[in-house]
Amino acid sequence: MKITKEIKTGILVLSSIALFIWGYSYLKGRDLLNEYKIIYVEYDNVEGLASNAPVTINGLVVGKVSKIKLQNTTGKLVVELQVKSGFPFSKSSIVAIYEPGLIGGKQIQIIPNFDDKNLAVNGDTLKSAVKKGLTDLVAEKLTPLQEKVEKMVVNADLLLKNLNDVLDTKSKENLKSSISNLNETLAGFNAASKNVNSILVDNKSKINGTLSNLNKVSSDFTKISDSLSKSNIGKIVKNLEKTLESVDKLMSDVQSGKGTFGKMIKDESLYNNLDKTSKELELLLQDVRLNPTRYVNVSLFGKKNKPYTSPKDTVSNTKK
């Protein structure tokens, strides 16, 4: 069959019209060669989202934003999404606006809910969300830091102002004088350290001898401590404890009046007898002193001895 020029012209015109319609639809955001479903999402603020922005699922581009329309009654923004039908997702999935980076604009991310088996179809309206981007997170972190820096700058300014008020002309002169005195003091310390170093150098041999003597004393002390540790100190302590127990028992016996020494301390009759005997002995000695002839009979003329008379208590009078 021979194709005429009219048929060829008609086919070319129809192809041109189809290509024009496809190109126009593609430029309008619709690809006539692929199957798409239209999903709607409502936002209070689209955060600068533009038409033809990519729609992703787990980072894979599955569609684009075809239209953004403002509702006159509520003031909300209705975003129309053109999503490929090859990847099914549920009606409870969340459509979030997010920022992929610092340079790129806002995009749409579909977060599927795999537990829900009720799939979204063409014309459904899904739940919306807005994820904070890197810029928002940085702004949140920098805001308190900015406040702290502002407070620090204000405090530093106040400190410098107070410092200027304190450091008047007289204070500056005193500060300079103090620094000058400090330099002199440091110079004195430097000279003293040089003198100490020279003394140490001159007496190095003596210091070494002193240290050697100290080491010898330390070794001797170590030997003494070893000797003490080797000696039977425990036995000595036990013997001392026994001796103290014996002394304690002796003292308790004395306190209770046992034994000769205890009776002498505790028995009042023995004390009285001793006191009485000492008084009689004192009277006897006094009589011997006053009348010796009564006890030693030496008489050349046959003189009789004087009869005994009780002497006066001169001793007691003397004590009084």
Side-chain angles (χ1 to χ4, degrees):
M1 180 179 178
K2 188 177 180 180
I3 301 175
T4 63
K5 292 182 179 180
E6 291 80 3
I7 295 174
K8 290 181 179 179
T9 303
I11 294 173
L12 182 61
V13 170
L14 291 175
S15 299
S16 300
I17 293 172
L19 184 61
F20 175 76
I21 294 173
W22 178 82
Y24 180 77
S25 299
Y26 184 80
L27 292 175
K28 294 289 290 183
R30 295 180 181 272
D31 190 358
L32 298 178
L33 300 179
N34 294 320
E35 293 183 1
Y36 290 95
K37 53 186 173 183
I38 303 300
I39 302 297
Y40 297 97
V41 189
E42 290 185 356
Y43 293 97
D44 295 329
N45 190 346
V46 294
E47 301 287 337
L49 180 69
S51 298
N52 295 324
V55 177
T56 62
I57 297 178
N58 295 333
L60 177 65
V61 178
V62 295
K64 60 184 176 179
V65 177
S66 59
K67 189 187 298 183
I68 301 175
K69 184 174 63 176
L70 178 64
Q71 288 185 351
N72 296 327
T73 56
T74 60
K76 291 187 177 182
L77 296 168
V78 179
V79 179
E80 181 182 314
L81 307 179
Q82 182 181 327
V83 184
K84 294 179 182 179
S85 302
F87 188 85
F89 50 90
S90 62
K91 290 184 178 182
S92 60
S93 300
I94 299 175
V95 181
I97 297 176
Y98 75 103
E99 185 180 10
L102 293 174
I103 299 176
K106 298 288 185 176
Q107 296 182 7
I108 294 292
Q109 178 186 21
I110 298 176
I111 304 173
N113 183 10
F114 296 103
D115 295 332
D116 188 6
K117 304 301 180 181
N118 190 9
L119 299 179
V121 296
N122 189 34
D124 285 342
T125 301
L126 303 185
K127 294 180 180 179
S128 63
V130 177
K131 277 190 170 183
K132 293 181 179 180
L134 183 60
T135 305
D136 297 331
L137 295 175
V138 171
E140 287 183 358
K141 297 294 183 182
L142 289 179
T143 300
L145 181 61
Q146 180 184 359
E147 294 177 356
K148 291 181 180 179
V149 170
E150 289 177 355
K151 291 181 180 178
M152 184 175 65
V153 170
V154 172
N155 292 330
D157 183 60
L158 182 61
L159 177 62
L160 291 175
K161 184 179 179 181
N162 294 331
L163 187 62
N164 290 328
D165 293 338
V166 172
L167 292 177
D168 54 0
T169 305
K170 186 176 180 181
S171 299
K172 290 179 181 179
E173 292 178 355
N174 293 331
L175 183 60
K176 291 179 180 179
S177 177
S178 300
I179 294 173
S180 177
N181 294 330
L182 181 61
N183 290 330
E184 293 178 358
T185 303
L186 292 176
F189 275 119
N190 190 11
S193 64
K194 289 181 180 179
N195 293 330
V196 171
N197 290 330
S198 63
I199 292 171
L200 291 175
V201 171
D202 296 337
N203 297 279
K204 185 176 180 180
S205 59
K206 294 181 181 179
I207 293 173
N208 291 330
T210 303
L211 292 176
S212 62
N213 293 331
L214 184 61
N215 291 329
K216 184 177 179 181
V217 171
S218 177
S219 62
D220 293 339
F221 183 75
T222 303
K223 292 179 181 179
I224 293 171
S225 63
D226 293 337
S227 300
L228 289 175
S229 61
K230 291 179 181 179
S231 62
N232 196 356
I233 298 176
K235 186 176 180 180
I236 296 172
V237 172
K238 289 182 180 179
N239 293 332
L240 182 61
E241 289 178 353
K242 290 181 180 179
T243 304
L244 293 175
E245 289 177 357
S246 300
V247 173
D248 185 58
K249 184 177 180 183
L250 177 62
M251 294 302 295
S252 61
D253 292 338
V254 170
Q255 291 292 333
S256 60
K258 295 180 181 180
T260 304
F261 189 68
K263 290 179 179 179
M264 290 178 65
I265 293 175
K266 294 292 184 178
D267 194 357
E268 293 183 358
S269 61
L270 179 61
Y271 172 78
N272 294 328
N273 292 331
L274 288 174
D275 184 60
K276 183 178 179 181
T277 302
S278 63
K279 288 182 179 180
E280 291 178 352
L281 182 60
E282 183 180 1
L283 293 174
L284 178 60
L285 292 175
Q286 184 180 4
D287 186 64
V288 169
R289 179 174 59 82
L290 296 174
N291 302 302
T293 56
R294 183 178 297 136
Y295 301 96
V296 180
N297 190 5
V298 179
S299 179
L300 298 175
F301 303 102
K303 188 177 180 181
K304 294 182 179 180
N305 294 329
K306 294 180 178 180
Y308 175 77
T309 59
S310 177
K312 295 181 180 179
D313 193 3
T314 57
V315 176
S316 59
N317 293 330
T318 305
K319 289 181 180 180
K320 291 180 182 180

